[in-house]
């Protein structure tokens, strides 16, 4: 095997993933020792699972990995949180690197590594910071560091999303094998047990994409078995089980329609448009450069509808009871923005590689990406500095 092949397909992605995971691990190690994050609570949940005390949370994949890290290293649950997060981010970075590396181009592995880093550190440009002094509240942040389960979900959701998108694209030309459907069902279950924020936008997005496909092709049922067995049935059964076991005895829990109520808990309503614009400007600019060809891609259609649905959850739905101000329905928008950026970046990289002339218009998304990467570095610092 040639050294260039080893460098291109093994060394570059592993080094990229290791660097990103190491930075996340250091940040989490600092945050885990702070009482202002969710790591303390989740370390407590993991300890209860290990000691068979209390009730395990409905999403426990992160806690299982955390317990394994704790057992192998012998360090505290809080300390092991950084190792568990590093594992998730390392795997997620490898998957992202492979997804961004188009086989049809020979883009430098370091360019792909930089794009992968952008995906895991990008942050909206805080347009309203001079007025409200916040980098976070009201923005659809692609990356957060204070919640371990959402970090874990990014990796699991990315794997499921990439696998599902490939099956849907391939299924347009040939039937999907049973083994692939079983693997998809397993990945779907894994996402629900990591955190339900992804699956609750994936299901309605799949319905939207499927219905539009039916309207265009006049009764094409090629996706029906794949989606039913691989996504809908396992996801809905597991969600019903989670609700029955963990929510049925909680009369305070519920969801109601209330426009912009959660947004206004932490931000002024007038900042909604500039914060939304700042949150979507990067993938939007990539789409405008690529043109209408991206609209035909199944993974773009799926990520687009997930983002639209997640915005509805974030802006118009609210939990009732004591968790009303927590903004838990916002997690879906952060997962969807992460996946939308991944898809747009993948096609943008392919587009600029195949473009004979690199005009200013084509480079605009790259300039925005650089600005968001700088904001992401500042966002990391603000998390560490508290």
């Amino acid at each position: 095997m040639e050294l260039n092949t080893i460098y291109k397909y093994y060394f570059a992605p592993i080094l990229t993933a290791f660097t990103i995971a190491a930075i996340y691990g250091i940040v989490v190690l600092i945050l885990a020792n702070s009482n202002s994050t969710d790591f303390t609570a989740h370390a407590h949940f993991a300890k209860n699972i290990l000691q068979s005390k209390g009730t395990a949370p409905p999403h426990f994949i992160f806690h299982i990995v955390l317990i394994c890290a704790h057992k192998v290293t012998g360090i505290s649950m809080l300390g092991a949180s950084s190792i568990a997060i590093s594992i998730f981010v390392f795997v997620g970075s490898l998957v992202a690197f492979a997804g961004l590396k188009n086989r049809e181009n020979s883009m430098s592995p370091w360019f792909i590594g930089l794009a992968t880093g952008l995906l895991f550190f990008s942050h909206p440009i805080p347009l309203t910071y001079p007025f409200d002094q916040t980098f976070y509240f009201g923005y659809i942040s692609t990356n957060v560091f204070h919640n371990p389960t959402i970090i874990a979900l990014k990796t699991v959701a990315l794997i499921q999303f990439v696998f599902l998108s490939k099956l849907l694209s391939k299924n347009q030309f040939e039937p999907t094998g049973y083994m692939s459907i079983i693997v998809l069902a397993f990945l779907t279950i894994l996402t629900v047990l990591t955190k339900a924020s992804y699956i609750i936008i994936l299901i309605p997005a799949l319905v939207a994409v499927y219905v539009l496909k039916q309207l265009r092709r006049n009764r094409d049922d090629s996706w029906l078995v794949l989606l039913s067995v691989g996504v809908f049935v396992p996801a809905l059964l597991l969600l019903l089980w989670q609700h029955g076991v963990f929510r049925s005895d909680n009369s305070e829990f519920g969801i109601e329609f209330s426009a912009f109520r959660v947004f206004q808990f932490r931000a002024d309503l007038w900042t909604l448009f500039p914060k939304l614009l700042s949150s979507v400007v990067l993938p939007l600019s990539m789409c405008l450069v690529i043109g209408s060809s991206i609209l035909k891609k199944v993974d773009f259609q799926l990520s687009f509808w997930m983002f639209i649905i997640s915005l509805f959850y974030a802006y118009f739905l609210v939990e009732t009871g004591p968790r009303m101000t927590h903004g838990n329905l916002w997690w879906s928008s952060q997962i969807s923005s992460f996946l939308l950026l991944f898809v747009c970046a993948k096609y943008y990289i392919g587009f600029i590689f195949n473009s004979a002339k690199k005009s200013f218009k084509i480079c605009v998304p790259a300039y925005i990406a650089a600005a968001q990467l700088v904001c992401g570095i500042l966002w990391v610092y603000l998390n560490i500095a508290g």
Side-chain angles (χ1 to χ4, degrees), residues 344-369:
C344 292
K346 179 179 71 171
Y347 291 117
Y348 175 68
I349 290 171
F351 181 84
I352 60 175
F353 176 81
N354 294 314
S355 297
K357 185 179 180 181
K358 305 297 187 293
S359 64
F360 175 78
K361 174 187 174 182
I362 291 177
C363 294
V364 167
Y367 300 142
I368 298 173

Side-chain angles (χ1 to χ4, degrees), residues 361-379:
K361 174 187 174 182
I362 291 177
C363 294
V364 167
Y367 300 142
I368 298 173
Q372 290 204 353
L373 185 57
V374 171
C375 291
I377 295 171
L378 290 173
W379 175 230

Side-chain angles (χ1 to χ4, degrees), residues 212-231:
L212 291 174
K213 178 175 181 285
Q214 292 289 85
L215 294 175
R216 288 195 306 269
R217 299 196 178 187
N218 298 321
R219 300 288 303 167
D220 180 1
D221 296 328
S222 58
W223 287 0
L224 197 56
V225 174
L226 171 63
L227 295 181
S228 298
V229 180
V231 180

Side-chain angles (χ1 to χ4, degrees), residues 185-378:
F186 171 77
L187 292 174
T188 298
I189 292 170
L190 205 59
T191 64
V192 180
L193 294 179
T194 304
K195 202 179 185 73
S197 304
Y198 168 67
I199 204 68
I200 62 174
I201 54 173
L202 176 64
I203 291 176
L206 281 171
V207 171
V209 173
Y210 179 74
V211 169
L212 291 174
K213 178 175 181 285
Q214 292 289 85
L215 294 175
R216 288 195 306 269
R217 299 196 178 187
N218 298 321
R219 300 288 303 167
D220 180 1
D221 296 328
S222 58
W223 287 0
L224 197 56
V225 174
L226 171 63
L227 295 181
S228 298
V229 180
V231 180
F232 296 150
V233 172
L236 292 173
L237 287 177
L238 201 51
L239 288 172
L240 287 172
W241 171 77
Q242 288 179 328
H243 183 271
V245 172
F246 298 97
R247 297 294 190 186
S248 59
D249 60 342
N250 189 349
S251 60
E252 293 183 322
F253 173 79
I255 296 175
E256 64 182 22
F257 182 89
S258 185
F260 310 119
R261 188 171 183 180
V262 173
F263 182 90
Q264 292 183 88
F265 281 137
R266 301 293 179 87
D268 294 327
L269 188 57
W270 73 267
T271 65
L272 188 146
F273 178 75
K275 288 183 175 181
L276 177 59
L277 176 64
S278 178
S279 301
V280 302
V281 66
L282 181 53
L284 178 61
S285 65
M286 291 176 176
C287 290
L288 292 175
V289 167
I290 297 168
S292 60
S293 61
I294 195 174
L295 302 178
K296 301 176 183 178
K297 306 296 184 181
V298 173
D299 50 357
F300 174 78
Q301 295 171 11
L302 195 53
S303 62
F304 170 80
W305 280 108
M306 283 196 292
F307 185 71
I308 295 299
I309 293 163
S310 70
L311 287 182
F312 174 77
Y313 290 173
Y315 290 149
F316 296 102
L317 298 183
V318 60
E319 286 183 291
T320 57
R323 297 167 52 141
M324 180 180 290
T325 61
H326 292 190
N328 287 320
L329 292 170
W330 275 75
W331 293 127
S332 294
S333 62
Q334 293 177 343
I335 288 295
S336 67
S337 66
F338 175 79
L339 294 175
L340 181 62
L341 180 58
F342 166 75
V343 171
C344 292
K346 179 179 71 171
Y347 291 117
Y348 175 68
I349 290 171
F351 181 84
I352 60 175
F353 176 81
N354 294 314
S355 297
K357 185 179 180 181
K358 305 297 187 293
S359 64
F360 175 78
K361 174 187 174 182
I362 291 177
C363 294
V364 167
Y367 300 142
I368 298 173
Q372 290 204 353
L373 185 57
V374 171
C375 291
I377 295 171
L378 290 173

Side-chain angles (χ1 to χ4, degrees), residues 103-115:
R103 291 182 180 181
E104 298 178 356
N105 67 52
S106 57
M107 192 70 72
S108 166
W110 298 118
F111 182 87
I112 303 299
L114 182 62

